[in-house]
Amino acid sequence: MTTVATVGTGGEGAGGAAEPYTLSHLDALESEAVHIFREVAGEFENPVILFSGGKDSILMLHLALKAFAPAPVPFSLLHVDTGHNFPEVLDYRDRTVARHGLRLHVASVQDYIDRGVLRERADGTRNPLQTLPLTEKIAAEKFDAVFGGGRRDEEKARAKERVFSLRDEFSQWDPRRQRPELWNLYNGRHAPGEHVRVFPLSNWTELDVWQYIAREGIELPQIYYAHRREVFRRGGMWLTAGDWGGPKDGERVEKRLVRYRTVGDMSCTGAVDSGADSIEKVITEIAASRLTERGATRADDKLSEAAMEDRKREGYF
Amino acid sequence: MSTITSEALAETTLLRFATAGSVDDGKSTLVGRLLHDSKSVLTDQLEAVERVSVSRGQEAPDLALLTDGLRAEREQGITIDVAYRYFATPRRRFILADTPGHVQYTRNMVTGASTAELTVILVDARNGVVEQTRRHAAIAALLRVPHVVLAVNKMDLVGYREPVFARIAEEFTAYATELGVPEVTAIPISALVGDNVVEPSAHMDWYGGPTVLEHLETVPVSHDLAHCHARLPVQYVIRPQSAEHPDYRGYAGQIAAGTFRTGDEVTVLPSGRTTTITGIDLLGTPVEAAWTPQSVTLLLADDIDISRGDLLVPSKDAPATTQDVEATVCHVADQPLTVGHRVLLKHGTRTVKAIVKDIPARLTLDDLSLHPHPGQLVANDIGRVKIRTAEPLPADSYANSRRTGSFILIDPNDGTTLTAGMSGESFAAPEPVKGADEEDGWDF
């Protein structure tokens, strides 16, 4: 009988990574992500990596650097700038771009508001306003593949997302018309004007991301680690005071020891109380956490039961 | 998850598995139970499920809501498409392809099984092996999933009686073995009560085997590379052309099968040129040997013409190239596949023009009967096809290599993924059996 793998009788095989010809789960995830980057480099004309300065996009860039070493990354970066950024993150972004000699595109929400194309929302949240600048930039620059750091463990609509996700000329996602993904044979065919969103971190979890960052010694913006910061309470989250609209009457600013689990628009990204000031402590904290990162820190996902799905359908990540 | 140290977790292995079960077999409950009892459901997710369950007037939290992510799924109470779930134990990380048991089962299960190293097939202990069970077993066999678990569910509803389990396990194992499934592990469970899913059952002293989770944690994922043909589809040529690396020319790809070592003599297909591996870069670090599924860059002794789409293989173990591919396929698109259909065929990193020359047979999974010359294959059909390609392909038999024996067909007009293909002769049975009609050459 020809079989493709060793046959055990069940229950006695060793699951340890010490076995010959096995890979640790981090090595397996890394290898898969690198394969995805190289497929895109081989099949598309004008790919771009969405880069927010958050840990997932930093991880994507790190993987892309390894995938093409010793040659440079054959992709440019795109930052959708809400105008409500953490200064540490912008600083990190600019240093990274300079260090690796990358090309950075910026799609600015503030520009759209200044030109009167988009209107500021009453709640000050700019996350939903990112979709138009993003999709118009994709069309203007004729990007045909757009890498996003989305992970399927983040949110249940994202659990349905493909690694290669076709978007129509309006950047829309139709979850009922997705291509089946078979083996590792990704289908990147698209018509002019359409593009493909590519998610090389699809199979990573938050904990995988942190373990890999620790293993590879990747630098992150300091706001991911515990620090003292002036915050106020809104909607069950600690938000940072800033020009974007807060604190309002009745919201009291206090100085607390906090860190961030995700980095997005300041208006809707909450900090968590934490004393984890090193990566080891962060990993211990996440492994013990009983909250998902989005549940803990993202106001935009709480707008409705299908908030993420609805935004994704329109072209958001 | 709170008891897991970061060091221990970083060293765990990864198992990809798929679940299969029909609507009322309790698949959602099993998946919910695995996630819940392995403490992979976090408080805010559970609260959301409880909130929605209460608002619908349900008495207990509906664990199926954990896995139904889309608006339409929640509204209609159905699962539309394959979803991927993640959980971990101290021993292993898991990627679960959660495939719906509804009408579109075949293509969804094929999608989930294509990357799975293990499939869990659920049966209801009261009903035993039914048509759907045979269908699931046939797909697991077709897709060459190395490990199959038969979870005999709802044991609580048959008094936890051993003979009930033994009869089902025996019938299924005999059937699966006939199909060529290399390994079956049968486990009596109650997903609802939690017997033998994560915790051993207190109700079934007669069962001495592992729980579902224990089995998932210990089933081997290493590859028997001694008998594998080494294969590297070239994805991308890395040429820095920088002052530091003026002459670097590396052939990047993910090893699809087997092991490569420096010093190996390799042949480039389809051109047939031969050279030697002078170096292997594992993402920037030189290594002596690399194996599947590592992504690597090979450096070669001679400056020969190699580009994306080529296949690097050991010179002593090269597959034949052919322009006439015979394969078993599962049709996954809504538009049918017909004789004369012009398509694109993606095999490894190579996409070539192709034409469907013949569809000799369609398989009925229910009774495994063959229908000769059906004229077309529609969504969810499994059949044999003969395809002529515009360029020679180095396709292995799927029976020998899941990666280099598989391909997809793509509609050149709109880019739709049409068909999942597995090349080679009949492979579902341990030994190919030639029927009276040599033309079909297929022994289902």
Side-chain angles (χ1 to χ4, degrees), chain A residues 154-155 158 292-298 300-302 308:
Chain A
E154 280 180 87
E155 207 276 339
R158 281 195 172 163
T292 64
E293 66 180 81
R294 289 204 160 258
T297 65
R298 283 299 183 91
D300 44 332
D301 292 336
K302 295 182 176 169
M308 173 71 85

Side-chain angles (χ1 to χ4, degrees), chain A residues 8-216:
Chain A
T9 51
E12 43 182 60
E19 257 179 72
Y21 304 127
T22 58
L23 296 187
S24 76
H25 80 280
L26 289 180
D27 286 329
L29 292 170
E30 177 190 61
S31 177
E32 177 185 68
V34 164
H35 174 257
I36 293 162
F37 277 113
R38 289 167 169 177
E39 279 299 281
V40 171
E43 295 220 323
F44 291 82
E45 294 293 320
N46 192 17
V48 70
I49 298 178
L50 275 191
F51 190 83
S52 66
K55 66 181 186 310
D56 298 310
S57 55
I58 290 169
L59 179 56
M60 274 204 296
L61 179 59
H62 181 85
L63 288 161
L65 286 161
K66 288 185 91 166
F68 300 99
V73 173
F75 316 124
S76 53
L77 302 185
L78 168 58
H79 182 211
V80 182
D81 182 346
T82 63
H84 290 158
N85 299 291
F86 292 92
E88 299 91 330
V89 175
L90 275 192
D91 172 62
Y92 182 97
R93 179 195 78 179
D94 293 339
R95 278 190 291 118
T96 303
V97 166
R99 177 150 61 115
H100 299 297
L102 296 161
R103 181 165 174 222
L104 176 73
H105 304 269
V106 177
S108 164
V109 173
Q110 189 64 53
D111 278 358
Y112 277 72
I113 292 171
D114 292 347
R115 285 192 281 123
V117 180
L118 286 175
R119 189 183 301 166
E120 192 89 76
R121 292 160 52 99
D123 62 5
T125 293
R126 287 186 170 182
N127 246 21
L129 304 184
Q130 291 180 84
T131 302
L132 187 66
L134 167 66
T135 55
E136 289 200 348
K137 189 60 134 184
I138 290 169
E141 298 285 341
K142 297 188 166 55
F143 293 127
D144 54 359
V146 181
F147 288 103
R151 307 189 320 263
R152 290 182 184 137
D153 81 318
E154 280 180 87
E155 207 276 339
K156 54 193 170 182
R158 281 195 172 163
K160 299 275 173 178
E161 180 68 272
R162 296 291 180 266
V163 174
F164 272 40
S165 180
L166 184 67
R167 301 303 172 101
D168 68 12
E169 60 190 309
F170 302 101
S171 284
Q172 296 177 120
W173 181 59
D174 183 350
R176 306 193 80 150
R177 288 187 59 248
Q178 299 193 87
R179 292 171 178 167
E181 262 170 13
L182 299 144
W183 298 284
N184 61 346
L185 296 169
Y186 301 112
N187 175 1
R189 299 281 295 188
H190 60 282
E194 295 177 340
H195 71 278
V196 175
R197 299 275 172 95
V198 184
F199 301 98
L201 306 184
S202 284
N203 288 324
W204 298 56
T205 64
E206 182 187 18
L207 199 51
D208 296 328
V209 167
W210 278 104
Q211 285 172 348
Y212 188 77
I213 286 168
R215 186 183 93 171
E216 301 283 303

Side-chain angles (χ1 to χ4, degrees), chain B residues 118-432:
Chain B
L118 180 146
T119 297
V120 179
I121 297 175
L122 254 91
V123 301
D124 185 328
R126 296 170 302 177
N127 305 328
V129 174
V130 295
E131 264 181 35
Q132 185 83 325
T133 319
R134 283 193 284 273
R135 205 171 289 153
H136 294 321
I139 294 168
L142 279 169
L143 272 287
R144 308 285 304 181
V145 180
H147 307 279
V148 170
V149 172
L150 175 75
V152 180
N153 192 23
K154 306 195 183 179
M155 286 300 293
D156 53 315
L157 298 182
V158 295
Y160 295 109
R161 277 177 290 138
E162 180 176 16
V164 176
F165 168 73
R167 197 169 55 241
I168 296 168
E170 202 176 313
E171 184 184 348
F172 180 84
T173 305
Y175 183 77
T177 305
E178 199 182 317
L179 290 171
V181 172
E183 183 201 80
V184 176
T185 302
I187 304 175
I189 67 165
S190 166
L192 192 68
V193 183
D195 290 297
N196 288 337
V197 177
V198 173
E199 300 295 331
S201 171
H203 301 108
M204 291 178 274
D205 294 342
W206 46 265
Y207 175 72
T211 65
V212 173
L213 186 64
E214 228 176 286
H215 182 67
L216 293 174
E217 283 183 311
T218 52
V219 73
V221 293
S222 57
H223 300 267
D224 182 10
L225 296 177
H227 303 101
C228 264
H229 316 278
R231 303 285 186 258
L232 182 84
V234 175
Q235 279 189 288
Y236 192 75
V237 182
I238 295 179
R239 284 194 306 137
Q241 294 175 296
S242 60
E244 201 185 338
H245 302 281
D247 301 318
Y248 188 102
R249 180 188 282 265
Y251 302 95
Q254 186 175 30
I255 299 175
T259 310
F260 286 94
R261 292 186 171 77
T262 55
D264 284 356
E265 189 177 273
V266 289
T267 296
V268 184
L269 294 175
S271 75
R273 290 186 186 87
T274 294
T275 182
T276 306
I277 298 174
T278 55
I280 303 174
D281 276 355
L282 183 63
L283 308 183
T285 309
V287 291
E288 276 301 303
W291 57 87
T292 179
Q294 290 181 322
S295 281
V296 296
T297 307
L298 297 190
L299 304 168
L300 304 174
D302 303 290
D303 224 358
I304 53 183
D305 179 20
I306 305 172
S307 56
R308 175 177 169 82
D310 287 342
L311 187 70
L312 293 174
V313 301
S315 301
K316 57 179 166 37
D317 179 27
T321 59
T322 179
Q323 285 181 255
D324 294 292
V325 178
E326 288 196 49
T328 302
V329 299
C330 174
H331 192 62
V332 296
D334 289 330
Q335 65 255 47
L337 187 76
T338 53
V339 174
H341 209 131
R342 287 179 186 280
V343 294
L344 296 169
L345 185 154
K346 184 171 185 184
H347 170 255
T349 53
R350 191 177 193 84
T351 303
V352 299
K353 286 183 182 174
I355 185 163
V356 179
K357 298 297 278 189
D358 193 13
I359 303 177
R362 189 185 70 219
L363 173 76
T364 304
L365 278 174
D366 300 352
D367 60 0
L368 302 183
S369 64
L370 279 178
H371 293 247
H373 302 288
Q376 63 172 22
L377 296 177
V378 300
N380 297 308
D381 275 354
I382 287 178
R384 286 289 288 176
V385 299
K386 293 182 178 180
I387 300 163
R388 174 80 178 170
T389 58
E391 299 163 40
L393 279 188
D396 282 298
S397 162
Y398 187 80
N400 293 327
S401 172
R402 287 174 88 188
R403 286 278 191 242
T404 52
S406 56
F407 61 84
I408 55 173
L409 299 183
I410 298 168
D411 188 318
N413 297 315
D414 62 8
T416 304
T417 300
L418 295 170
T419 305
M422 293 158 278
S423 69
E425 287 297 308
S426 158
F427 53 75
E431 299 296 334

